[in-house]
Amino acid sequence: EKNNNFYHNVFAFSAPILLCLYYFFPVCKIEVPERLTVSHEALIKTGLADRCISVPVREATDADILLVHSEEYLEAVKKTPYMTLEDLQEFTLQYGDVYFHPNIYHCAKLAAGAALQLVDSVMTGKVRNGMALVRPPGHHSMRSAASGFCVFNNVAIAAQYAKQQYGVKRVLIVDWDVHHGQGVQYCFEDDPSVLYFSWHRYEHQKFWPQLKESDYNSVGKEKGAGFNINVPWNKVGMKNSDYLSVFCHILLPVAYEFSPDLVLVCAGFDSAIGDPEGEMCASPDIFAHLTHLLMNLAGGKLCAVLEGGYNLTSLPQSVCQTVQTLLGDPAPRPANLDGPCESALESLHCVRSAHRQYWSCLKHMTFIFTASSNNSLLLSPAELPTSDVTTKRIKLAEEEEDKLKKVEEEKNAEEEVWPEPPKRVAPAVRTALVLPNDVACPDGCKHVNTSQVCLLVLLQGCSDVSGFAQAVLGLLLPLGYEYDPSLVLLARTPDSGLCDSVWQQLTGLLQGIAQGHTLVLMQVRRRRRGGSISVYLLLHFWGGLDRWQVF
């Protein structure tokens, strides 16, 4: 955000990409230029664009592209601007579901270059985080092949670039697009320095790209075993609760153990409600919460790059929710959290079972993993699936049901309506500090009186950092989201055993709840001539912890 040292956000928008029109056979009806125009217009209309720093976009160089792609493939794509339409059609037939136009080589270089400019801005400290709105997308593109609207793999190139240019040791790539980013997986499946996480519509290998290696048991190869996490959605209609459950019980525990230096997001919004490709039911505001949870990793260094998203209503809404969270505004109160569905729980269990041998955080949480009787985000041992469960257990039983529902689902997708995301306002007062009468109040703080329903967290004797993290992610965070309080109250005593970095992570995570309204009660000790006394500090956080400069 402009004029603020703590929540800078970059907005990279490559306008020339709008020239990339696919007007020859086969006609592309969903990957259209309007995807960018409506998103950009929404950011302007909501005032978010004015709060961002706009970064000039450059073309990716040959050296940049060759970090991921083969020289033979690059040279072939270079020839496309000079091809006739007939030659382009023939060239296109080599690949799957991608359409070439005379401008696409230029546009693809701009898309990859925008991602690299974003990485440069974040890694040099010019901005804290940001989002690049680009076309064409990239996460399906492979070393020597275009695929799924993708020419160059923007995020994979950005990851390799960050490692080479800035010496980044560990990169987390989170792909929340509704399609599996097989290009990213293939690029890093034997690389332990990159943790790739993807959830995607799979339907037991019936949904594009229909790859066996998109299933939960593709965990990576050789030294990269365990660093590729696939969460297959075997049914459509996944909701906010399903997304949050996967974050709390799979992604976040592993991500904290991995401890990335940089987070890259394949930000595909075809996983939002109303999208004709995804057919999911997650509302746009869920992306505010997913973004917030990721911002607590890697010191806040996060780069989101647009991938899919083909509903011209839910796409701009989701983009705005993501950007507003990157700007540091409190996330909206979560909506429609009724617990994960049975299919999502089955995938959760299979993923955790496949990765348990690789991650210590997944070895000790079995006791909280299953569906509870009251459709809770919490997972308890009452109905734990048996060890021989696979995602194909109910495949045959579902096939007939899927056939009957297909026509109805397509009709419902066309008629899907949902409410506008709630308006989010950044409060003028971000932080207030309450001190004893004889202690001076720092500048910029003021007294706050409040009486609200709250979630109380008392921290004491938490010296086991690993166990504490598991309790927070597997119990406290899901409980907080499900309870949906108006206020979070945190109490920390001198013997809590928490180091400052863990404390900062905890407060950061919990500020995604209750619209960021968090009261912190801290007991500290100071000495007077008559001995030591206890002083209680009460703090009210309205926004990000990074704006608090008291300690």
Side-chain angles (χ1 to χ4, degrees):
E1 184 173 1
K2 299 175 182 177
N3 303 321
N4 187 287
N5 293 326
F6 299 103
Y7 275 96
H8 278 190
N9 175 274
V10 63
F11 169 53
F13 177 71
S14 46
I17 291 177
L18 300 180
L19 299 174
C20 188
L21 304 177
Y22 311 131
Y23 56 81
F24 58 89
F25 180 84
V27 177
C28 181
K29 296 181 179 179
I30 58 174
E31 213 303 276
V32 294
E34 288 78 14
R35 296 179 59 237
L36 289 192
T37 56
V38 296
S39 298
H40 189 216
E41 289 167 359
L43 289 171
I44 294 174
K45 181 178 179 180
T46 56
L48 296 174
D50 288 338
R51 296 171 59 188
C52 296
I53 297 173
S54 181
V55 173
V57 175
R58 69 170 175 89
E59 291 186 350
T61 65
D62 285 3
D64 296 330
I65 295 169
L66 291 174
L67 290 171
V68 169
H69 297 283
S70 68
E71 187 171 359
E72 294 77 14
Y73 174 66
L74 174 58
E75 292 302 317
V77 177
K78 279 184 178 182
K79 297 175 183 178
T80 57
Y82 311 103
M83 293 181 181
T84 65
L85 291 183
E86 291 75 14
D87 291 338
L88 283 171
Q89 290 183 37
E90 184 176 349
F91 183 76
T92 297
L93 294 177
Q94 301 178 64
Y95 309 113
D97 299 291
V98 64
Y99 313 121
F100 280 87
H101 177 275
N103 285 333
I104 200 169
Y105 172 55
H106 173 61
C107 295
K109 288 194 296 182
L110 285 172
L116 300 184
Q117 288 287 81
L118 179 53
V119 169
D120 283 335
S121 298
V122 170
M123 295 308 300
T124 59
K126 180 180 179 181
V127 299
R128 162 155 297 188
N129 55 48
M131 183 170 189
L133 292 183
V134 299
R135 289 180 63 241
H139 68 150
H140 298 306
S141 179
M142 294 167 278
R143 174 173 170 77
S144 297
S147 179
F149 306 149
C150 303
V151 179
F152 299 136
N153 201 313
N154 307 320
V155 169
I157 292 171
Q160 295 286 38
Y161 177 83
K163 291 166 59 181
Q164 181 189 78
Q165 191 74 13
Y166 298 101
V168 172
K169 301 298 183 184
R170 292 177 300 279
V171 180
L172 168 64
I173 299 177
V174 177
D175 190 339
W176 66 45
D177 191 280
V178 85
H179 300 90
H180 179 225
Q182 78 274 29
V184 182
Q185 174 171 314
Y186 294 153
C187 184
F188 299 111
E189 60 187 348
D190 61 352
D191 186 351
S193 69
V194 177
L195 173 61
Y196 176 60
F197 168 91
S198 173
W199 65 33
H200 41 267
R201 182 176 172 182
Y202 190 59
E203 296 183 276
H204 306 295
Q205 206 177 325
K206 291 187 293 184
F207 188 71
W208 193 93
Q210 297 174 308
L211 300 172
K212 182 178 180 181
E213 51 264 46
S214 301
D215 209 351
Y216 71 93
N217 53 4
S218 290
V219 299
K221 298 180 178 179
E222 301 173 356
K223 292 183 179 180
F227 293 88
N228 188 84
I229 302 177
N230 287 329
V231 180
W233 298 130
N234 289 313
K235 283 190 173 182
V236 297
M238 295 297 169
K239 300 179 180 180
N240 295 353
S241 296
D242 302 302
Y243 289 6
L244 279 176
S245 293
V246 168
F247 259 54
C248 290
H249 297 289
I250 296 177
L251 175 58
L252 291 179
V254 173
Y256 275 100
E257 185 172 335
F258 180 65
S259 187
D261 303 308
L262 174 67
V263 178
L264 302 177
V265 180
C266 294
F269 298 106
D270 42 10
S271 52
I273 192 170
D275 193 274
E277 286 288 293
E279 298 185 43
M280 299 301 176
C281 296
S283 56
D285 58 282
I286 194 61
F287 296 102
H289 293 276
L290 303 183
T291 303
H292 171 82
L293 293 170
L294 294 177
M295 286 171 63
N296 289 282
L297 296 160
K301 291 190 271 301
L302 186 153
C303 302
V305 181
L306 182 66
E307 296 285 354
Y310 307 104
N311 181 293
L312 298 184
T313 300
S314 64
L315 170 61
Q317 291 174 346
S318 301
V319 166
C320 287
Q321 291 292 315
T322 300
V323 170
Q324 190 164 1
T325 301
L326 290 173
L327 286 165
D329 290 355
R333 298 185 72 166
N336 304 320
L337 298 183
D338 52 3
C341 68
E342 182 179 352
S343 180
L345 284 171
E346 183 178 283
S347 294
L348 269 165
H349 173 70
C350 292
V351 173
R352 290 174 59 87
S353 297
H355 284 272
R356 187 170 293 127
Q357 62 180 307
Y358 305 109
W359 301 99
S360 61
C361 61
L362 301 181
K363 295 177 182 178
H364 310 294
M365 296 178 66
T366 305
F367 69 96
I368 60 169
F369 188 80
T370 189
S372 62
S373 58
N374 60 344
N375 294 323
S376 172
L377 284 174
L378 294 172
L379 304 175
S380 60
E383 301 173 11
L384 184 65
T386 59
S387 59
D388 61 349
V389 167
T390 71
T391 57
K392 295 185 179 181
R393 178 175 62 86
I394 55 175
K395 180 177 180 179
L396 295 177
E398 289 181 345
E399 285 182 349
E400 189 62 31
E401 180 184 358
D402 289 344
K403 291 178 182 178
L404 296 174
K405 289 184 177 181
K406 189 64 177 177
V407 175
E408 182 180 354
E409 287 172 353
E410 291 176 353
K411 181 180 179 180
N412 290 341
E414 295 175 357
E415 300 175 352
E416 193 82 57
V417 294
W418 58 93
E420 281 273 344
K423 186 175 181 180
R424 298 163 60 186
V425 179
V429 177
R430 290 280 182 169
T431 304
L433 174 65
V434 181
L435 295 169
N437 293 331
D438 58 342
V439 178
C441 183
D443 294 338
C445 296
K446 73 176 188 178
H447 180 76
V448 176
N449 290 317
T450 182
S451 176
Q452 296 174 292
V453 178
C454 68
L455 174 70
L456 174 62
V457 183
L458 177 62
L459 302 175
Q460 189 171 13
C462 302
S463 57
D464 180 3
V465 175
S466 176
F468 176 73
Q470 293 174 23
V472 170
L473 298 174
L475 176 64
L476 181 57
L477 199 59
L479 177 64
Y481 271 108
E482 184 179 1
Y483 183 52
D484 188 23
S486 302
L487 180 69
V488 176
L489 176 61
L490 283 165
R492 183 186 184 188
T493 63
D495 58 349
S496 66
L498 289 180
C499 62
D500 290 341
S501 61
V502 175
W503 173 253
Q504 182 174 354
Q505 291 291 337
L506 173 65
T507 54
L509 285 169
L510 291 180
Q511 284 182 70
I513 302 169
Q515 297 180 287
H517 298 163
T518 307
L519 282 168
V520 180
L521 178 63
M522 301 178 66
Q523 182 184 18
V524 298
R525 300 185 184 278
R526 65 178 185 179
R527 293 189 174 277
R528 284 185 175 174
R529 283 178 293 182
S532 65
I533 63 171
S534 295
V535 177
Y536 287 88
L537 302 180
L538 188 63
L539 297 99
H540 191 153
F541 295 103
W542 286 96
L545 186 64
D546 300 291
R547 298 197 179 192
W548 174 46
Q549 296 293 293
V550 178
F551 294 103

